[in-house]
Amino acid sequence: MKDKATSFDIAHMAGVSQSTVSRALSNSPLVNKETRERVQRIAREMNYKVDKNASNLRKQRSSTIALLLFEDPSPDDSLINPFFMSMLGSITRACATFNYDLLVSFQNMNGDWHAEYEDSHKSDGLILLGYGDYLDYRDKLTQLQDQGTHFVRWGAHDTEYPGISIGCDNYQGGQIITEHLIQQGAKSFAFIGTAGQRAPEFMARFQGHIDMLATHNLLPQEAIQYNAVSTEEAGFDATQKLLASGARPNALVCASDLIAVGAIKCLKTHGIGVPRDMLVSGYDNIPISGFTTPTLSTVQQNTKKAGELLVSNLLKLIKGESVADYLMPAELVIRESTQRAD
Amino acid sequence: MKDKATSFDIAHMAGVSQSTVSRALSNSPLVNKETRERVQRIAREMNYKVDKNASNLRKQRSSTIALLLFEDPSPDDSLINPFFMSMLGSITRACATFNYDLLVSFQNMNGDWHAEYEDSHKSDGLILLGYGDYLDYRDKLTQLQDQGTHFVRWGAHDTEYPGISIGCDNYQGGQIITEHLIQQGAKSFAFIGTAGQRAPEFMARFQGHIDMLATHNLLPQEAIQYNAVSTEEAGFDATQKLLASGARPNALVCASDLIAVGAIKCLKTHGIGVPRDMLVSGYDNIPISGFTTPTLSTVQQNTKKAGELLVSNLLKLIKGESVADYLMPAELVIRESTQRAD
DNA sequence: CTGAAAGCGCTTACAG
DNA sequence: CTGAAAGCGCTTACAG
């Protein structure tokens, strides 16, 4: 392995100063066109690449973004939330568009990630992806803010949280899926998914759900709702409890596709057919939802656009431009699980 | 946003020299225990982080690995090969274990990625993930090798390719799934998946398939095989062709789960029941395979172990230790699509 | 348009 | 065990 060439080597070969090499390679208009092209050609021939560490140190920025994914590490990596994976794909591509590198890291919500990346100049800013359902999330965000770290958060605008957020309208998503179910003739409903302070996404979906019910005068005295985190097992268990209570709603509104998958599985064990006896909806449009029996009606978040917005807004923030929160509309995906085969 | 503190600031506050601060923060045994602890405490209080660019520049390494994913960018990011996503998860976690950062980048096979990362000192080494099915892959690898770049490749050992590879035994995978089908009573077979020089993974699966058939004296004069890339559509089309030829094998061995999903869909349109009339197997054990109707028997690659091996071997390579190719065994996952309900 | 020089913030021989 | 000093490879004011 031969030593890497430096800009001095290139300067020597091109018969110019090292400063000129640096300028030529950054396409500075200050340098004569012919000189610039000659230097660039020699650099290419020599396989010379600017040393990023030196360049970053001098420029005091890294042209790198860090993506922090918060997720309980599952024993089986294949179970990584498909929605996040989809976001990762789109964020990666968006970064490439802007000539930024992307550092990816899985984090525990309770780690000390809030200080790590930008302070050490590894990255110019952070994208935070993961459900903000822990109590100290706000403190960490405040600390980031105080340190002057550039960051954007995936999620809905929340006055509790400092900083910029890009999200998908969970409230509206809860509304449209509920409206769809009402159109399909459902009169009584249950919502499966933890609706509480610590699960703002699910909470907003639930809120949209009950508000739409109220609009149609279908909201009972007490909305039926059972807690469940976003897993198949939790969906199964919550549905089990619902059925044990004797309730037999026309429609089950699940806060995520995984919950819906578990719910359908549970209904099957009780001989309750979907959509024949009960309609079931999910949320997220994960790949699996197109393959379940029945296929799952769900709500889609536009991950491609989300990734692009997260990256472009973070870059604006880094450049010192002002940025506003953004809430994307949710889209309905209608499949078999909510349509009675009349 | 206040200026970041430097090691000189910490030195000043601790009443020691900047060298001592640097040593203390890297836990050097050269520095007095009390001094070390005092310096570390002050650094923590000041929220001081070592500047990675400066540190890397001086140390001439980056403590960063780059993961290059080769994939035809799909218009829909949610369609990113789930197998790769699973690998990404496990690689990310493995990097964290070793205190390395991970740079993730989607690449076109025909880009000039082979020079980019290590030469610019952005990373100390590369992990190459993606099917090596393009003609110029070998040349690029050779170039990497010549440049002295550290890299490991996901895939089977191949004398055509320079460098270290970590892979899963596709040949054995093809064998065990075929043996399973034979045990289920299948006598005649078709293989769906491109088996050629440019698709070494599928080729090895196919080879394992026909060798196992030969072992059981079930290999016809001409093995039936239809080309298909790893998509649902290709699986559908190839199966269509197979059926059009009039062939009605007992079992369809598909080179990937996505192909199998397409194949089953096609069989359905022809009124051919799976597993009733024909057994169908996949490969990869993507999440969807547990939800199709029928659920799909398939072959699993241990992505968790794979990610760990890729990272640990790359780090060995970076340290100058010698590393050997490694081939992991494939595992059978038996579900409904290959078991006749007798 | 070009060059000589300073300096980004570290790590690590070197000297004590 | 500690400090003064060199130097990693760049970018960019400064001077011409």
Side-chain angles (χ1 to χ4, degrees), chain A residues 13 41 67 84 91 115 141 143 188 209 227 259 263 271 285 321:
Chain A
M13 298 191 66
R41 183 174 45 74
L67 170 62
F84 288 162
I91 289 171
L141 292 181
Q143 205 175 328
S188 59
H209 164 67
N227 283 343
I259 291 176
N285 196 25
E321 298 171 19

Side-chain angles (χ1 to χ4, degrees), chain A residues 8-130:
Chain A
F8 283 93
D9 299 325
I10 306 299
H12 185 74
M13 298 191 66
V16 294
S17 76
Q18 183 268 341
S19 331
T20 300
V21 170
S22 177
R23 290 194 191 98
L25 293 178
S26 61
N27 276 314
S28 164
L30 281 174
V31 68
N32 176 288
K33 186 156 175 286
E34 281 162 35
T35 321
R36 186 171 60 211
E37 281 165 3
R38 184 157 44 88
V39 169
Q40 291 184 349
R41 183 174 45 74
I42 292 173
R44 213 176 314 115
E45 285 168 8
M46 296 289 295
N47 239 315
Y48 168 79
K49 299 282 165 190
V50 171
D51 184 302
K52 277 291 166 189
N53 291 131
S55 161
N56 291 342
L57 173 58
R58 182 54 230 254
K59 291 201 283 196
Q60 296 291 72
R61 61 188 173 77
S62 64
S63 294
T64 301
I65 282 175
L67 170 62
L68 270 41
L69 280 158
F70 301 103
E71 216 195 358
D72 302 321
S74 60
D76 180 354
D77 289 301
S78 64
L79 291 180
I80 293 169
N81 188 323
F83 170 73
F84 288 162
M85 290 296 103
S86 175
M87 287 290 276
L88 171 63
S90 111
I91 289 171
T92 310
R93 297 198 213 285
C95 280
T97 308
F98 291 106
N99 254 314
Y100 263 69
D101 284 314
L102 184 70
L103 230 34
V104 175
S105 175
F106 285 76
Q107 299 282 337
N108 291 318
M109 184 53 84
N110 44 351
D112 67 339
W113 46 270
H114 50 287
E116 198 51 37
Y117 286 87
E118 188 164 339
D119 282 358
S120 65
H121 283 267
K122 279 194 226 172
S123 74
D124 300 333
L126 309 179
I127 294 177
L128 307 177
L129 190 53

Side-chain angles (χ1 to χ4, degrees), chain A residues 6-300:
Chain A
T6 72
S7 53
F8 283 93
D9 299 325
I10 306 299
H12 185 74
M13 298 191 66
V16 294
S17 76
Q18 183 268 341
S19 331
T20 300
V21 170
S22 177
R23 290 194 191 98
L25 293 178
S26 61
N27 276 314
S28 164
L30 281 174
V31 68
N32 176 288
K33 186 156 175 286
E34 281 162 35
T35 321
R36 186 171 60 211
E37 281 165 3
R38 184 157 44 88
V39 169
Q40 291 184 349
R41 183 174 45 74
I42 292 173
R44 213 176 314 115
E45 285 168 8
M46 296 289 295
N47 239 315
Y48 168 79
K49 299 282 165 190
V50 171
D51 184 302
K52 277 291 166 189
N53 291 131
S55 161
N56 291 342
L57 173 58
R58 182 54 230 254
K59 291 201 283 196
Q60 296 291 72
R61 61 188 173 77
S62 64
S63 294
T64 301
I65 282 175
L67 170 62
L68 270 41
L69 280 158
F70 301 103
E71 216 195 358
D72 302 321
S74 60
D76 180 354
D77 289 301
S78 64
L79 291 180
I80 293 169
N81 188 323
F83 170 73
F84 288 162
M85 290 296 103
S86 175
M87 287 290 276
L88 171 63
S90 111
I91 289 171
T92 310
R93 297 198 213 285
C95 280
T97 308
F98 291 106
N99 254 314
Y100 263 69
D101 284 314
L102 184 70
L103 230 34
V104 175
S105 175
F106 285 76
Q107 299 282 337
N108 291 318
M109 184 53 84
N110 44 351
D112 67 339
W113 46 270
H114 50 287
E116 198 51 37
Y117 286 87
E118 188 164 339
D119 282 358
S120 65
H121 283 267
K122 279 194 226 172
S123 74
D124 300 333
L126 309 179
I127 294 177
L128 307 177
L129 190 53
Y131 293 122
D133 48 356
Y134 289 80
L135 293 170
D136 63 352
Y137 195 30
R138 193 189 52 184
D139 294 342
K140 296 251 168 87
L141 292 181
T142 306
Q143 205 175 328
L144 280 183
Q145 186 95 315
D146 291 347
Q147 288 166 194
T149 300
H150 306 102
F151 69 96
V152 293
R153 179 175 64 83
W154 170 253
H157 170 78
D158 188 323
T159 45
E160 291 284 297
Y161 290 145
I164 295 300
S165 72
I166 307 292
C168 193
D169 196 336
N170 288 298
Y171 177 81
Q172 174 239 353
Q175 284 187 308
I176 59 176
I177 191 75
T178 304
E179 184 166 45
H180 164 67
L181 288 163
I182 293 170
Q183 282 166 1
Q184 296 300 311
K187 303 277 183 218
S188 59
F189 294 79
F191 185 93
I192 313 282
T194 300
Q197 187 64 27
R198 301 179 58 178
E201 286 83 6
F202 284 10
M203 184 63 182
R205 292 169 196 180
F206 177 63
Q207 202 64 49
H209 164 67
I210 57 175
D211 283 4
M212 183 53 71
L213 289 185
T215 303
H216 289 262
N217 293 313
L218 288 170
L219 187 62
Q221 201 73 349
E222 291 280 327
I224 307 184
Q225 179 269 331
Y226 284 80
N227 283 343
V229 296
S230 190
T231 65
E232 214 184 302
E233 295 69 37
F236 189 100
D237 294 346
T239 308
Q240 195 76 272
K241 272 185 210 153
L242 167 77
L243 295 177
S245 80
R248 291 293 183 279
N250 301 147
L252 235 50
V253 177
C254 300
S256 81
D257 285 347
L258 287 176
I259 291 176
V261 165
I264 291 175
K265 199 167 272 185
C266 178
L267 293 175
K268 264 183 200 160
T269 68
H270 288 264
I272 299 173
V274 177
R276 195 192 58 203
D277 307 317
M278 204 178 283
L279 307 181
V280 175
S281 69
Y283 207 108
D284 282 345
N285 196 25
I286 63 177
I288 287 171
S289 64
F291 292 92
T292 51
T293 306
T295 54
L296 196 60
S297 292
T298 187
V299 178
Q300 167 148 40

Side-chain angles (χ1 to χ4, degrees), chain B residues 23 38 51 88 132 177 195 197 219 230 236 249 258 304 320:
Chain B
R23 289 195 191 95
R38 182 158 43 88
D51 185 302
L88 171 63
I177 191 74
Q197 186 64 27
L219 186 63
S230 189
F236 189 99
L258 288 175
K304 183 167 161 50

